[in-house]
Amino acid sequence: MVLFVKHWANIRGINTPYRGTLSSYGYVLMVLHYLVNIADPFVCPNLQKLAPELPPGSHMSAEEIDKTFYLQGRNVRFWRNEEEIRRFADENAINANTESVGQLLRGFFDYYAHNAFMASLPHRRGFEWVCDVLSLRTQGGILSKTEKGWLGAKTVLEVQPTGAMPPNPHASAPSRLGNGLGPMGGAGSSTATAPKAKEVRHRYLVAIEDPFELEHNVARTVTQDGIVAIRDEFRRAWRIIQSAGKGQALEDLLQPAVVVDPKQERTSKQDRARVEALLRRLHGDLPPPPARGYGRH
């Protein structure tokens, strides 16, 4: 299901973050949200919510707990006992959903196509793009943008630390002046380069909380044009799915979108200009191309 959605998003031109749409990771989280929180009964359990606590009498030190359950200060604990998961699954103690992948895809597109009550799950409403934050760590999977404080776009400076420069191999050797400094006049210790600051634009038109780095919006790259395109594609997909169910489908769900990549277009024009300049150098001024007619002359 994830592979299908990623292929659909890519072929429809809404899977390119640098052009203002959503990353593949964002679509993966959207699929997981549907399977964990929306499908009824659920397809996937929330492995983070089912993560076992420390057993009574556990003597793990604070350092061991940090190494086991945290990575760079982020809580990465989840239910990871594969034998237990398989056993409970075989006993039908985890998942009672019997829908096919096709039925699940139908519900997925229904959920994100509009925020009214869903056709596939009449007791549920669709995703509210304007107000909702998709949050896998939250019971039910939804927070509000107000709760997160993700209301308006902002530009922040993100410091990107750089590693220390390797030590100067000549630093320990005395200089000719005998002052105990290296040939560059510095001491023998390594010199750290200054950290680099980069301006990053945070947008919250689409809000998808990273399940580990909770302050990070996975969809921060989505622009105004991007969210319009994404929502239009979900509506188009749902319209096609509905009409196909009635035997009236006139469009192909996976019809490639005609998307002009500005970088490729610019490169193509530059290449064409270089070729024309080279031909002029070789042959002088080029005559204009002949007009194309429809009959014989």
Side-chain angles (χ1 to χ4, degrees):
M1 184 169 170
V2 168
L3 292 177
F4 181 90
V5 171
K6 287 172 63 176
H7 177 65
W8 163 79
N10 181 59
I11 207 167
R12 293 303 300 172
I14 53 171
N15 185 208
T16 313
Y18 75 83
R19 291 182 54 218
T21 53
L22 188 59
S23 67
S24 294
Y25 183 39
Y27 286 106
V28 170
L29 294 178
M30 290 174 73
V31 172
L32 286 177
H33 168 64
Y34 179 79
L35 297 178
V36 171
N37 298 299
I38 306 303
D40 189 16
F42 65 82
V43 176
C44 302
N46 190 325
L47 299 182
Q48 291 176 321
K49 288 293 180 184
L50 295 175
E53 299 294 332
L54 290 177
S58 174
H59 299 293
M60 292 179 69
S61 66
E63 184 179 357
E64 289 173 326
I65 292 174
D66 184 69
K67 286 183 178 179
T68 304
F69 300 124
Y70 290 84
L71 178 64
Q72 297 180 352
R74 314 290 181 188
N75 186 344
V76 295
R77 181 186 306 185
F78 64 95
W79 185 23
R80 63 179 72 201
N81 189 321
E82 295 185 18
E83 290 185 5
E84 279 188 351
I85 294 172
R86 287 197 184 95
R87 178 164 56 83
F88 283 120
D90 291 340
E91 296 171 358
N92 293 324
I94 291 181
N95 183 345
N97 192 300
T98 58
E99 290 182 291
S100 67
V101 174
Q103 290 170 317
L104 291 170
L105 281 168
R106 184 178 188 274
F108 171 81
F109 284 110
D110 185 7
Y111 177 68
Y112 289 108
H114 46 70
N115 56 12
F117 284 103
M118 298 168 59
S120 52
L121 294 170
H123 61 288
R124 286 191 177 274
R125 298 186 69 91
F127 184 70
E128 178 56 74
W129 295 81
V130 175
C131 304
D132 288 349
V133 177
L134 191 156
S135 172
L136 283 179
R137 275 195 178 270
T138 300
Q139 188 68 35
I142 293 293
L143 293 172
S144 72
K145 291 183 180 180
T146 302
E147 288 178 87
K148 290 287 294 183
W150 288 1
L151 298 173
K154 57 186 178 182
T155 300
V156 299
L157 285 177
E158 288 190 355
V159 178
Q160 300 176 328
T162 56
M165 294 178 63
N168 188 336
H170 305 289
S172 58
S175 70
R176 293 180 182 179
L177 298 178
N179 59 5
L181 300 177
M184 299 301 292
S189 60
S190 61
T191 304
T193 58
K196 296 181 180 179
K198 178 182 178 182
E199 281 194 358
V200 177
R201 186 69 170 167
H202 288 267
R203 303 180 185 88
Y204 304 105
L205 296 170
V206 180
I208 302 176
E209 178 188 78
D210 188 291
F212 298 106
E213 192 176 350
L214 302 183
E215 66 275 15
H216 174 58
N217 178 23
V218 173
R220 73 182 185 185
T221 60
V222 178
T223 61
Q224 183 66 48
D225 289 343
I227 187 175
V228 170
I230 292 169
R231 296 190 67 178
D232 283 349
E233 286 299 331
F234 271 104
R235 294 188 186 107
R236 172 187 177 272
W238 177 238
R239 185 176 66 250
I240 292 172
I241 291 170
Q242 279 188 306
S243 61
K246 302 173 184 176
Q248 301 171 351
L250 301 177
E251 296 180 77
D252 182 354
L253 180 63
L254 297 179
Q255 175 69 34
V258 179
V259 178
V260 178
D261 188 325
K263 290 186 177 180
Q264 291 181 353
E265 185 180 33
R266 185 164 56 251
T267 302
S268 178
K269 288 181 179 179
Q270 291 171 347
D271 290 343
R272 188 161 56 248
R274 291 192 189 100
V275 171
E276 290 178 356
L278 178 60
L279 289 175
R280 285 192 173 88
R281 287 180 60 188
L282 293 173
H283 304 291
D285 290 337
L286 296 175
R292 294 184 178 181
Y294 292 97
R296 292 186 176 180
H297 298 284

